[in-house]
Amino acid sequence: MFDTVLVANRGEIAVRVIRTLREQGVRSVAVFSDADADARHVREADTAVRIGPPAASESYLNVAALLDAARRTGAQAVHPGYGFLAENAEFAAACTDAGLAFIGPPASAISLMGDKIRAKETVAAYGVPVVPGSSGSGLTDTQLEEAAREIGTPVLLKPSAGGGGKGMRLVRDAAVLAEEIAAARREARASFGDDTLLVERWIDRPRHIEIQVLADAHGKVIHLGERECSLQRRHQKIIEEAPSVLLTPETRAAMGEAAVQAARSCGYVGAGTVEFIVPGNDPASYYFMEMNTRLQVEHPVTELITGLDLVEWQLRVASGEQLPYAQEDIRLEGWAIEARVCAEDPSRGFLPSGGTVLALREPQGGGVRTDSGLSEGVPVGSLYDPMLSKVIAYGPDRATALRKLRAALGDTVILGVPTNAGFLRRLLAHPDVVAGNLDTGLVEREAEGLVPDGVPDEAYAAAAAVRRDALEPRPDGGGWTDPFSVPSGWRTGGVRAPLLFPLRVGVHEPVTQGAPASATVTADRVTVELDGAVGHFHRSGDWLGRDGDTWHVQDHDPVEASLSGAGRSGADTLAAPMPGTVTVVKVAVGDEVEAGQSLLVVEAMKMEHVISAPHAGTVTELDVTAGATVAMDQILAVVVPLEDA
């Protein structure tokens, strides 16, 4: 086993890898950008090395800086985590050339499976079924269009060089193929530095099932069962479970053997995942999609049902150990389900969010595990992936695991940063999810009904109670309180005027709210009674939280709002929907534009958002340039209708 391992990543995966290194008695080296100087993974490692400024291209993607950090700290091996350089063949080769063990597969396997076109051709030669689609790499836009029309819509455009949903486009209308190909290339280039695309047949209502494989350097390959990953938004997994309710023992064995053959086809070593798409109405049919040549985000559910620590076995295999298990030794016991908690705001259409973590409570124990990179006082910005933590529940059966996970998400408190925790909790209670009737489109179809229309009355009441408490006078040194400073609402003539507070939460309309007579306010809790119901809220400053949902309550001043940038031009104003970076500016002041025309692109947390013209008109203001960093609701441009210009 190694003495010292450098973890070339950040956030929750870095914390998780460091935990196993500590358990194995291996010294851990963390790396950090200037944006992560106070991050949790930096504090939990045995030592930490600065590798550059905040931009990932100058820090976490800086191969020279990572290798220098390994050299300076005496590391013998590098664990890449997932994301960043985890599936970068050049980085794996550079580690090997520098005399470091790369805790992952050989660079040749990464290169082969990282090219989805070559990967499909390779595994097909080993008898693994693949999705029908285009053939050959380096296809032009015209060739992609021709292939798509030959396959017949709907089709899925996919970057050849990456995964995670980045750059993927589902196209149902052939008329928009050219536009979607251009957008897919742009995202692929930004995410992976390679805009090569392929096109595949889209299978309606598919299920996404993946097989975990483990291979040593001595020729042994086994699988550790499947994970159901069909609950997705924008092609990104948000809930994963193991095992799957869909598979029979016979199908599980067949898919497992196909995954083993896929791993053999590329000379795989270490922990990897073979992903399959499965028609929901024909589970015995399955098609290879891709192989992820790294540890997966959802690996904890496999760990919980097998009892194996996958990071530990990554370390052991990389240090030359043989796997001591035969396939028949692997037993799947119980059920595990994972939810990905992300910095995104469901009330704003799930756009990326940000802020500073003001209060944090993450459940652990009793069949619940939270893998997290969070700590109080640390900012969450728009530079990196939006995933903050993973909450995982284990039970003897699926119903128990679901119940535990819903409760754990309700107990999760992250104040200061809007998250999707409450949304995930409601999703897990959806009848189709409870019944196991899953497909990759379920979340998109049901998302609107799982996002509350407004803010609960008791949340406004709790905020008003906080406002009233702030007005309460504090006794002086002698214990005396000036009765005229008490906010009782008393007026001359014996009239009592109610204390009302104008409040606003996010995108919701402002509300004027009185504080209930029965309310208890402390620095971290608020309890109110409203209409006979008692509400308990976690609190930090102006943030309230309950059952996984959070609300940032602010005072509403209608005069100030009317004078702000948001009110300056009404429907003509285009504001940033999320904190991020302007990557594309397509217009200039004075340009005439059509309704719906794309004007700018804002990127945050690896997500692109196109800013379009609200109506036909003239661009009269343009307040940003490409490369500019913008805050949420910052004014970007103004488009005045032609008749008003």
Side-chain angles (χ1 to χ4, degrees):
M1 182 59 72
F2 310 109
D3 294 324
T4 303
V5 171
L6 181 138
V7 183
N9 218 295
R10 65 178 298 280
E12 62 86 22
I13 183 55
V15 174
R16 188 264 170 275
V17 172
I18 289 167
R19 183 176 71 235
T20 290
L21 292 174
R22 185 183 306 115
E23 291 170 354
Q24 296 298 313
V26 178
R27 178 171 170 262
S28 58
V29 178
V31 294
F32 64 92
S33 71
D34 291 339
D36 279 340
D38 297 321
R40 178 174 169 182
H41 75 280
V42 174
R43 297 198 308 270
E44 294 200 5
D46 293 305
T47 189
V49 179
R50 176 190 178 274
I51 52 171
S57 60
E58 301 179 61
S59 51
Y60 297 106
L61 296 175
N62 187 334
V63 173
L66 292 167
L67 295 180
D68 182 62
R71 179 189 58 78
R72 287 193 284 142
T73 55
Q76 300 154 305
V78 173
H79 194 300
Y82 39 68
F84 292 131
L85 294 170
E87 293 181 284
N88 185 293
E90 289 76 15
F91 179 55
C95 288
T96 301
D97 292 343
L100 298 165
F102 181 76
I103 302 177
S108 57
I110 297 175
S111 178
L112 175 55
M113 287 297 160
D115 183 334
K116 290 184 175 59
I117 297 168
R118 290 174 57 212
K120 287 178 63 176
E121 295 170 349
T122 300
V123 301
Y126 272 67
V128 180
V130 298
V131 181
S134 60
S135 60
S137 67
L139 298 184
T140 65
D141 289 6
T142 300
Q143 290 172 322
L144 285 168
E145 282 195 59
E146 291 173 352
R149 294 179 192 280
E150 184 176 337
I151 296 168
T153 55
V155 295
L156 189 65
L157 298 170
K158 298 173 65 174
S160 178
K166 305 298 185 300
M168 290 177 63
R169 287 286 195 281
L170 172 59
V171 184
R172 294 187 179 275
D173 182 0
V176 298
L177 269 168
E179 180 181 337
E180 293 294 328
I181 289 170
R185 284 202 194 279
R186 188 168 59 246
E187 280 191 37
R189 192 182 310 114
S191 297
F192 314 113
D194 183 344
D195 65 1
T196 304
L197 300 179
L198 67 152
V199 60
E200 290 181 342
R201 175 189 297 164
W202 173 255
I203 299 173
D204 273 317
R205 300 226 169 182
R207 294 178 77 135
H208 183 140
I209 294 181
E210 61 189 28
I211 305 291
Q212 176 72 58
V213 296
L214 196 58
D216 63 24
H218 306 276
K220 178 177 284 188
V221 186
I222 60 173
H223 72 85
L224 307 181
E226 81 279 5
R227 294 186 289 255
E228 171 89 57
C229 305
S230 297
L231 293 177
Q232 305 177 7
R233 285 197 65 259
R234 299 178 182 137
H235 306 294
Q236 288 274 24
K237 306 164 191 172
I238 57 175
I239 302 286
E240 302 101 342
E241 61 182 291
S244 167
V245 296
L246 184 69
L247 301 193
T248 63
E250 294 75 19
T251 303
R252 176 176 296 115
M255 289 183 71
E257 178 57 27
V260 166
Q261 291 304 314
R264 291 189 187 280
S265 74
C266 65
Y268 201 82
V269 175
T273 300
V274 181
E275 302 198 350
F276 294 92
I277 191 165
V278 182
N281 59 358
D282 184 15
S285 298
Y286 49 87
Y287 304 100
F288 170 88
M289 288 195 299
E290 62 186 4
M291 183 174 188
N292 289 300
T293 53
R294 53 169 167 80
L295 196 66
Q296 287 282 84
V297 174
E298 56 272 21
H299 74 274
V301 295
T302 297
E303 293 183 323
L304 289 172
I305 67 167
T306 61
L308 299 176
D309 182 328
L310 292 184
V311 174
E312 176 187 345
W313 280 105
Q314 283 187 297
L315 294 170
R316 292 185 179 280
V317 166
S319 64
E321 288 192 29
Q322 297 185 34
L323 290 174
Y325 308 107
Q327 188 61 59
E328 56 268 23
D329 296 327
I330 303 303
R331 296 284 185 268
L332 310 182
E333 298 182 359
W335 217 284
I337 310 177
E338 172 183 291
R340 302 188 187 190
V341 178
C342 297
E344 60 184 21
D345 190 347
S347 68
R348 287 177 174 261
F350 297 91
L351 289 174
S353 63
T356 298
V357 180
L358 304 175
L360 180 66
R361 189 176 79 181
E362 298 176 311
Q364 296 280 6
V368 174
R369 159 182 165 182
T370 299
D371 286 7
S372 171
L374 293 174
S375 55
E376 288 187 4
V378 173
V380 174
S382 60
L383 291 168
Y384 310 123
D385 192 89
M387 192 176 71
L388 304 175
S389 63
K390 304 176 306 196
V391 184
I392 313 106
Y394 174 80
D397 50 51
R398 188 171 186 268
T400 303
L402 275 172
R403 186 171 63 250
K404 286 186 175 184
L405 185 52
R406 287 194 297 265
L409 288 167
D411 289 340
T412 297
V413 178
I414 305 173
L415 299 184
V417 181
T419 75
N420 62 342
F423 173 83
L424 295 173
R425 182 171 175 268
R426 287 183 288 275
L427 173 61
L428 290 167
H430 189 282
D432 283 340
V433 175
V434 173
N437 298 325
L438 314 177
D439 67 78
T440 58
L442 187 152
V443 177
E444 299 286 1
R445 292 194 305 272
E446 303 295 333
E448 185 176 350
L450 298 171
V451 178
D453 292 332
V455 179
D457 292 341
E458 55 268 32
Y460 281 120
V466 171
R467 296 298 188 276
R468 186 181 67 186
D469 181 73
L471 296 175
E472 291 286 350
R474 306 302 184 225
D476 63 14
W480 182 79
T481 301
D482 179 0
F484 290 97
S485 66
V486 176
S488 64
W490 182 84
R491 298 291 186 273
T492 57
V495 176
R496 284 184 179 272
L499 282 174
L500 300 175
F501 301 91
L503 305 168
R504 176 186 286 277
V505 176
V507 297
H508 303 288
E509 291 297 317
V511 168
T512 300
Q513 176 70 49
S518 176
T520 302
V521 179
T522 66
D524 60 357
R525 300 278 291 188
V526 182
T527 300
V528 297
E529 183 176 343
L530 189 68
D531 298 329
V534 178
H536 301 281
F537 295 85
H538 299 279
R539 178 226 172 176
S540 180
D542 288 335
W543 285 81
L544 298 171
R546 182 182 67 178
D547 295 336
D549 289 313
T550 60
W551 303 274
H552 185 203
V553 186
Q554 298 175 292
D555 296 321
H556 173 67
D557 184 336
V559 175
E560 182 180 339
S562 67
L563 296 175
S564 70
R568 186 174 70 218
S569 304
D572 302 339
T573 299
L574 299 173
M578 58 190 181
T581 302
V582 177
T583 57
V584 179
V585 176
K586 301 182 177 181
V587 293
V589 172
D591 286 356
E592 291 188 5
V593 297
E594 299 178 356
Q597 180 178 331
S598 173
L599 308 182
L600 308 101
V601 178
V602 177
E603 182 183 283
M605 296 179 175
K606 302 181 181 179
M607 174 184 170
E608 266 194 351
H609 189 86
V610 178
I611 309 297
S612 302
H615 44 240
T618 302
V619 178
T620 60
E621 293 184 37
L622 186 64
D623 298 338
V624 293
T625 57
T629 300
V630 295
M632 182 181 294
D633 296 327
Q634 178 178 331
I635 302 303
L636 305 178
V638 175
V639 178
V640 176
L642 290 175
E643 60 269 22
D644 298 334

